[in-house]
Amino acid sequence: MIGVLGGGQLGRMLALAAARLGLDVTILTPEADAPASAVAARTLVAPYDDPAALKDMAETCRAITFEFENVPAPALETLAAMGAELAPGPRALAVAQDRFEEKSFLNAAGTPTVAFAAIDSPDDLRAALHHLHAPLLLKTRQGGYDGKGQAWVDRPDDAETAFAGLGSRPCIAEAPADFQRELAVIAARSRGGEIAVYPLTESHHENGILRRASAPARATPKTQAAAERIAATVLTALDYVGVIGIELFERDNGDLLVNEFAPRVHNTGHWTLDGCEVDQFEQHIRAVAGWPLGPTAASHHVEMTNLLGNEANDWLKFAREPETRIWLYGKREALPGRKMGHVNRLRPLERGEG
Ligand code: AMP
């Protein structure tokens, strides 16, 4: 039995992968009728910090992982104190939950990012606009996702409004990344320290939400090697077990900067479900369960498109396309911008791809 904190689509696809390997999953989610519950062996519906639910998980699950990185840190500490085997460990989650800690960690590990500063007041923001130069992208340190909790700031006069606009919470200000495109690398580390890296994904965002991902991305061997070095550095420095998703900016000169990493399976890795020998969800389950990692080579080129809101209603159209594989998450309500599913459109690999 593997425990998963979080019951969204990532938990659902982890539970599917686990079931195929003969493993059962218990989901802990505050949401009744969560996407993962329909396929998991067991669901505990309770807040993430519910003592009885955490005790149940610690006693019944051989290993516990998460699919949602905003799980409160004390919940993981409680699980660890009860002797639960957490993969990845609490440190990876703590670092990834705070954008300032995350960028500080990345730089200390020798991995480049944009210039940044911690912002605790409008005065800090004015000082950063002076030192790092305008414009700056102000982001909340914690809790933001899919482009939420972010605002560009151009002038010192806008500092008060911008800081208040993000709720006067601890923030980070980032210099603009002068990128030609956004890439992502999905990688995994086993309990024994073995590392496996997938081919690079090219990602396209709209309104801060991932819209499309295309993989394997066209990239020079030098760029793929640089991404592999970054992945290995981050995984090793965190003594990480499981799959990680690392978002990258490719600069005009080809250098890579890390934007952020997610300590879990990642939307930019959904293409691996139909385009790789072993997909990211099976890979994560293998790592968490203490199995050897599987091969990551691409078998197809994949264009992954997220189905947001009502777009999922077109399932019949997609079902008629022979090159299209459909993944629907079983969510009841198609709110605008909500990730309801994705499609993977396959074509054969061309020479030099993968
Ligand atoms: P994030 O929430 O950090 O993943 O940011 C969401 C999206 O905003 C990224 O995928 C980029 O498209 C854009 N973005 C984030 N940080 C920067 C930055 N420092 N400079 C330019 N664009 C950024």
Side-chain angles (χ1 to χ4, degrees), residues 70 99 137-151 165-166 169 206-209 260 336-339:
N70 291 321
R99 292 180 192 278
L137 186 54
L138 188 66
K139 302 178 178 179
T140 53
R141 278 173 69 152
Q142 297 194 316
Y145 66 95
D146 285 347
K148 296 191 181 78
Q150 308 196 359
L166 294 190
R169 284 182 292 161
E206 276 171 25
N207 306 320
I209 301 180
E260 62 178 2
R338 189 175 193 204
K339 291 176 180 170

Side-chain angles (χ1 to χ4, degrees), residues 66-236:
F66 39 85
E67 60 98 71
F68 170 66
E69 73 262 39
N70 291 321
V71 169
L76 292 197
E77 284 156 24
T78 305
L79 285 170
M82 289 190 283
E85 189 73 56
L86 291 166
R91 176 150 176 258
L93 187 83
V95 172
Q97 278 181 344
D98 183 314
R99 292 180 192 278
F100 180 74
E101 295 296 332
E102 181 180 40
K103 288 206 161 57
S104 304
F105 158 81
L106 287 164
N107 287 179
T111 306
T113 64
V114 293
F116 62 97
I119 306 294
D120 292 318
S121 66
D123 276 346
D124 287 349
L125 184 51
R126 276 186 285 269
L129 285 164
H130 182 69
H131 287 119
L132 300 178
H133 306 297
L136 294 177
L137 186 54
L138 188 66
K139 302 178 178 179
T140 53
R141 278 173 69 152
Q142 297 194 316
Y145 66 95
D146 285 347
K148 296 191 181 78
Q150 308 196 359
W152 284 101
V153 191
D154 296 309
R155 302 175 310 140
D157 285 354
D158 297 336
E160 302 276 349
T161 326
F163 188 68
L166 294 190
S168 301
R169 284 182 292 161
C171 283
I172 176 174
E174 297 183 7
D178 55 340
F179 59 88
Q180 49 161 320
R181 58 179 181 160
E182 293 190 73
L183 298 171
V185 63
I186 304 291
R189 187 167 176 274
S190 71
R191 287 193 188 277
E194 176 197 1
I195 286 174
V197 185
Y198 287 90
L200 278 163
T201 311
E202 184 173 328
S203 45
H204 299 269
H205 293 84
E206 276 171 25
N207 306 320
I209 301 180
L210 184 72
R211 179 100 279 251
R212 282 188 306 112
S214 166
R218 288 201 175 277
T220 61
K222 183 169 160 265
T223 305
Q224 177 72 31
E228 288 177 14
R229 268 199 309 279
I230 288 171
T233 302
V234 173
L235 289 170
T236 309

Side-chain angles (χ1 to χ4, degrees), residues 232-299:
T233 302
V234 173
L235 289 170
T236 309
L238 291 170
D239 194 19
Y240 196 94
V241 174
V243 164
I244 194 169
I246 306 177
E247 296 181 20
L248 305 164
F249 295 124
E250 185 178 30
R251 307 178 74 181
D252 291 341
N253 66 6
D255 286 354
L256 297 180
L257 298 176
V258 177
N259 174 27
E260 62 178 2
F261 64 84
R264 52 169 171 76
V265 285
H266 196 249
N267 197 170
T268 58
H270 288 4
W271 71 276
T272 64
L273 283 162
D274 300 299
C276 279
E277 289 176 325
V278 165
D279 67 75
Q280 64 163 350
F281 299 96
E282 174 175 339
Q283 196 74 286
H284 187 68
I285 295 292
R286 281 175 173 243
V288 170
W291 289 28
L293 299 180
T296 52
S299 54

